[in-house]
């Protein structure tokens, strides 16, 4: 019975490591990116209004916002996060070889993840996106 448990544990570890390989992170990132782009393509079909009132409750201004902005940011942020985590696993496979995600991968903060990627040099615009997308993730 003990050998059977050891065998099952070994198999679970192998499946976890296989599923956590960099190419799987990238594949999921691509799927999320594609979904975000489809949502953005259709964003002109849905708008919401954001009204600003003064202290006397008089209308000051009305902004027309894309209705899909937060879902788009969530998908795009998760896509970016998955690619970054795939790069982290590629540079340090020990992030997944124990059968659980390392502490380094247990974050949705894109700025912190990006800071761990020495080979990636983000522009100011990309860093701004990472901050905005991270804030959109609950």
């Amino acid at each position: 019975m003990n050998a059977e448990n050891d065998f099952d544990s070994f198999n679970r570890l192998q499946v976890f490591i296989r599923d956590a390989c960099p190419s799987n992170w990238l594949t999921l990132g691509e799927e999320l990116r594609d979904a975000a782009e489809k949502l953005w393509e259709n964003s002109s079909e849905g708008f919401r209004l954001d009204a600003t009132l003064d202290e006397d409750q008089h209308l000051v201004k009305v902004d027309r916002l894309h209705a899909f902005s937060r879902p788009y940011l969530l998908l795009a942020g998760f896509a970016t996060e998955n690619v970054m985590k795939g790069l982290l696993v590629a540079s340090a496979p020990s992030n997944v070889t124990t059968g659980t995600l390392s502490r380094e991968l247990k974050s949705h903060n894109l700025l912190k993840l990006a800071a761990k990627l020495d080979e990636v040099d983000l522009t100011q615009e990309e860093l701004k996106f990472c901050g905005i997308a991270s804030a959109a993730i609950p």
Side-chain angles (χ1 to χ4, degrees):
M1 186 86 154
N2 194 14
E4 188 175 318
N5 287 340
D6 289 345
F7 186 71
D8 288 343
S9 293
F10 177 78
N11 281 339
R12 280 192 300 278
L13 177 63
Q14 296 307 307
V15 168
F16 179 87
I17 292 170
R18 181 203 66 207
D19 291 347
C21 75
S23 63
N24 285 337
W25 289 99
L26 178 60
T27 298
L28 180 55
E30 290 172 336
E31 290 174 16
L32 290 163
R33 179 211 55 214
D34 292 347
E37 291 306 314
K38 281 293 183 193
L39 188 61
W40 192 256
E41 287 172 12
N42 296 321
S43 66
S44 63
E45 296 173 12
F47 287 97
R48 66 181 173 86
L49 300 178
D50 187 39
T52 304
L53 305 175
D54 64 17
E55 54 196 43
D56 296 321
Q57 300 302 305
H58 294 107
L59 185 63
V60 175
K61 111 181 149 168
V62 175
D63 292 316
R64 191 172 95 159
L65 305 171
H66 288 282
F68 299 118
S69 58
R70 180 149 184 199
Y72 171 80
L73 285 171
L74 283 169
L75 289 170
F78 284 140
T80 304
E81 176 184 336
N82 274 273
V83 171
M84 288 180 178
K85 288 180 177 181
L87 291 170
L88 288 168
V89 170
S91 64
S94 61
N95 280 312
V96 296
T97 55
T98 63
T100 61
L101 296 179
S102 70
R103 175 185 274 168
E104 190 165 310
L105 297 180
K106 290 184 178 180
S107 173
H108 296 297
N109 186 320
L110 300 179
L111 294 170
K112 287 183 179 179
L113 291 169
K116 297 173 185 176
L117 294 167
D118 294 332
E119 66 275 13
V120 175
D121 188 24
L122 299 178
T123 65
Q124 285 301 314
E125 188 173 90
E126 290 166 337
L127 288 169
K128 183 178 178 182
F129 167 79
C130 287
I132 292 168
S134 294
I137 297 172

